[in-house]
Amino acid sequence: MDLTNKKLIVERKHKKVYETRDCIIKAFSGEHPKSDVFNEALNQARIEETGLNVPKVLAVEAMDDGWAIIMSKKNGKTLKEIMESDKDNIRKYMDMFVDIQLDINTKSSPLLNRMNLKFSRQINELKELNATIRYELLTRLDGMKKHTKICHGDFNPSNVLVGEDGEVSIIDWSHATQGNAAADAANTYLLFALTDKALADMYMDIYCEKSDTAKQYVQKWLSIVAAQRLSKHIEAEKELLMQYIDVVDYL
């Protein structure tokens, strides 16, 4: 495993992602909790065991002032890049995208973190919302069906790689849980809606048709997943997310 000559490919507030000839290195800053790094590596290892085509965890090591997860490298273009370069065939790619998500949802991992417990914790800690709104959100969450399907948690076209031979792999499993697939679909809808409402609506239509899920059922999750995403404190997303968190519109 050669970690020399690494090239920076992504930089975020608390992490940098490098690539080498055969590895991907996700290096976290010293401020990022050690427990979160090991939990992400554990998530990834559990997903590996399902048989999905994902990068394999090779090591977790101390690096600079923090910790790093070292993974096998998956080659290819992101589905986002492909969609943006061939907009005439956008619906074909969206069909493919939804099929991949539905395949993920057929898998199970009994030891993976439970979605409802994670969402409940995130909403409880969300002091941007008053106690009444938090109560309404938690009541709604408690009333939703508790499933055990694998949910990616950040499923968007930039996390799907397509190789030159057509091989598909799915990356970035840091938010993976077991739970209700409709919640994962609602989260994906929001990720599209943050930049392109028309694309979000196309996704919703295709997902509901292919999964035989009522659109109203996915929409019931929107306020909940918007609240858990608000807990990431991304200022550019706050205005739109608050619109979906207005639970009065959904009750």
Side-chain angles (χ1 to χ4, degrees):
M1 186 168 60
D2 182 10
L3 302 184
T4 61
N5 300 317
K6 58 183 183 291
K7 174 186 175 184
L8 180 66
I9 56 174
V10 175
E11 185 169 5
R12 298 285 186 267
K13 183 178 180 181
H14 291 300
K15 71 180 178 184
K16 294 180 180 179
V17 181
Y18 302 91
E19 67 174 358
T20 69
R21 182 175 56 84
D22 57 356
C23 297
I24 294 293
I25 306 166
K26 187 182 282 191
F28 297 88
S29 69
E31 292 80 25
H32 194 77
K34 178 180 177 180
S35 57
D36 285 358
V37 178
F38 278 80
N39 185 67
E40 179 173 338
L42 181 58
N43 273 358
Q44 186 92 5
R46 295 204 192 289
I47 298 301
E48 283 181 50
E49 294 171 351
T50 69
L52 288 168
N53 189 13
V54 302
K56 297 185 182 303
V57 176
L58 304 175
V60 180
E61 296 184 1
M63 183 172 291
D64 298 327
D65 62 341
W67 288 84
I69 303 172
I70 302 168
M71 297 170 281
S72 60
K73 185 177 178 180
K74 293 289 186 180
N75 294 310
K77 290 184 177 180
T78 68
L79 190 54
K80 179 181 179 181
E81 293 172 317
I82 296 171
M83 293 169 81
E84 290 177 345
S85 66
D86 188 13
K87 293 186 178 180
D88 289 342
N89 288 304
I90 196 78
R91 188 173 184 89
K92 178 185 77 172
Y93 298 125
M94 190 65 82
D95 277 336
M96 173 184 176
F97 176 74
V98 170
D99 285 341
I100 296 166
Q101 187 173 28
L102 293 177
D103 182 52
I104 293 170
N105 296 152
T106 66
K107 310 296 183 183
S108 63
S109 178
L111 297 180
L112 203 61
N113 295 330
R114 292 189 176 273
M115 174 190 287
N116 61 314
L117 296 180
K118 178 181 178 180
F119 283 7
S120 179
R121 182 180 66 253
Q122 289 173 316
I123 292 170
N124 265 316
E125 295 173 352
L126 200 57
K127 300 310 178 186
E128 291 93 330
L129 304 179
N130 65 46
T132 299
I133 294 177
R134 295 199 306 273
Y135 174 83
E136 295 286 2
L137 289 166
L138 291 169
T139 299
R140 166 162 291 194
L141 174 60
D142 188 57
M144 303 301 271
K145 292 181 179 179
K146 312 297 190 296
H147 295 170
T148 57
K149 298 177 180 180
I150 287 182
C151 297
H152 184 280
D154 189 23
F155 193 67
N156 67 83
S158 65
N159 283 329
V160 175
L161 297 181
V162 182
E164 291 184 2
D165 59 356
E167 181 186 56
V168 171
S169 53
I170 310 109
I171 62 173
D172 196 358
W173 290 89
S174 59
H175 304 292
T177 59
Q178 56 172 320
N180 193 311
D184 211 35
N187 187 63
T188 296
Y189 174 85
L190 278 182
L191 294 175
F192 278 121
L194 287 167
T195 56
D196 191 326
K197 181 64 162 54
L199 205 56
D201 290 339
M202 179 191 293
Y203 162 78
M204 178 76 84
D205 289 342
I206 293 174
Y207 177 87
C208 291
E209 179 181 353
K210 284 180 173 284
S211 65
D212 194 27
T213 303
K215 188 179 297 186
Q216 297 93 325
Y217 184 64
V218 178
Q219 290 172 335
K220 284 184 70 175
W221 279 99
L222 286 174
S223 56
I224 298 168
V225 297
Q228 69 88 25
R229 185 161 184 87
L230 186 66
S231 71
K232 300 179 188 297
H233 305 292
I234 302 173
E235 189 60 34
E237 298 179 359
K238 184 174 181 179
E239 182 177 356
L240 179 63
L241 293 176
M242 289 299 293
Q243 293 174 23
Y244 286 102
I245 292 170
D246 186 1
V247 293
V248 174
D249 290 344
Y250 296 94
L251 294 175

